[in-house]
Amino acid sequence: MRAVLQVDEESLSRALYNLGSYLRGEILALSDRILKHYTESLPEYTGRLKKGATKDVGGYVNVEGVDVPTEISITGPEHGVYLERGTGPYAGNKSYNPPFAKISAWATYKGLNPGPVYSTIRRRGTKQYFYARQAMVKALGGKWVISEL
């Protein structure tokens, strides 16, 4: 025995349109969740990193007249890379010193003596703090692998 299901073109088109609309809404909601987790996962004292984050949705594909985005990107200020990836030691590199004023402001905020903090960062660098990766994994419920950050 064989059963055949036939769907008329109009019903199929309507179903694809509804699917495209649903996917668009879900992807846009996901981009909002990622941006929210991005700012929430940052340490308390990060200044412009929290305020300067923006999202961009692009790479659209058309599904029955509905533009469905295929890419989500979150962009923060350029110095965020130093928090995400850490820094190496500055000692021995005479052409660059870490910014004393910013380190001093942070150390003072934390109730620490700025001089030793600055010296330690200059000698050892800073540790990695994967805030952007954490935000993506948290927003996606840990179900997806992030290929590039």
Side-chain angles (χ1 to χ4, degrees):
M1 183 172 156
R2 181 174 165 214
V4 177
L5 172 67
Q6 285 188 308
V7 180
D8 64 284
E9 195 173 314
E10 184 180 326
S11 296
L12 182 59
S13 178
R14 191 170 46 249
L16 286 173
Y17 175 83
N18 290 339
L19 177 63
S21 297
Y22 171 78
L23 288 173
R24 178 182 171 81
E26 287 297 307
I27 291 171
L28 292 176
L30 176 62
S31 71
D32 290 337
R33 280 197 315 272
I34 291 171
L35 184 61
K36 176 180 176 266
H37 288 301
Y38 176 92
T39 56
E40 287 176 353
S41 66
L42 284 167
E44 186 179 338
Y45 186 86
T46 53
R48 291 180 303 156
L49 274 181
K50 263 188 193 216
K51 298 173 189 159
T54 60
K55 69 174 181 168
D56 187 30
V57 182
Y60 293 91
V61 64
N62 191 292
V63 178
E64 285 298 312
V66 177
D67 288 331
V68 178
T70 59
E71 297 173 12
I72 299 170
S73 65
I74 304 296
T75 306
E78 289 179 20
H79 62 279
V81 71
Y82 301 117
L83 183 60
E84 177 76 19
R85 296 186 180 155
T87 64
Y90 295 94
N93 184 353
K94 295 184 181 192
S95 63
Y96 181 76
N97 285 313
F100 181 78
K102 293 178 181 181
I103 292 171
S104 176
W106 177 84
T108 303
Y109 174 80
K110 291 289 194 175
L112 303 169
N113 185 345
V117 171
Y118 178 81
S119 296
T120 301
I121 289 174
R122 180 154 169 65
R123 273 193 335 272
R124 297 184 188 163
T126 58
K127 290 183 180 179
Q128 298 172 330
Y129 184 81
F130 297 111
Y131 70 95
R133 187 175 305 271
Q134 288 173 359
M136 295 286 246
V137 170
K138 196 181 274 188
L140 295 168
K143 299 174 188 165
W144 298 75
V145 174
I146 299 6
S147 62
E148 181 182 330
L149 287 176

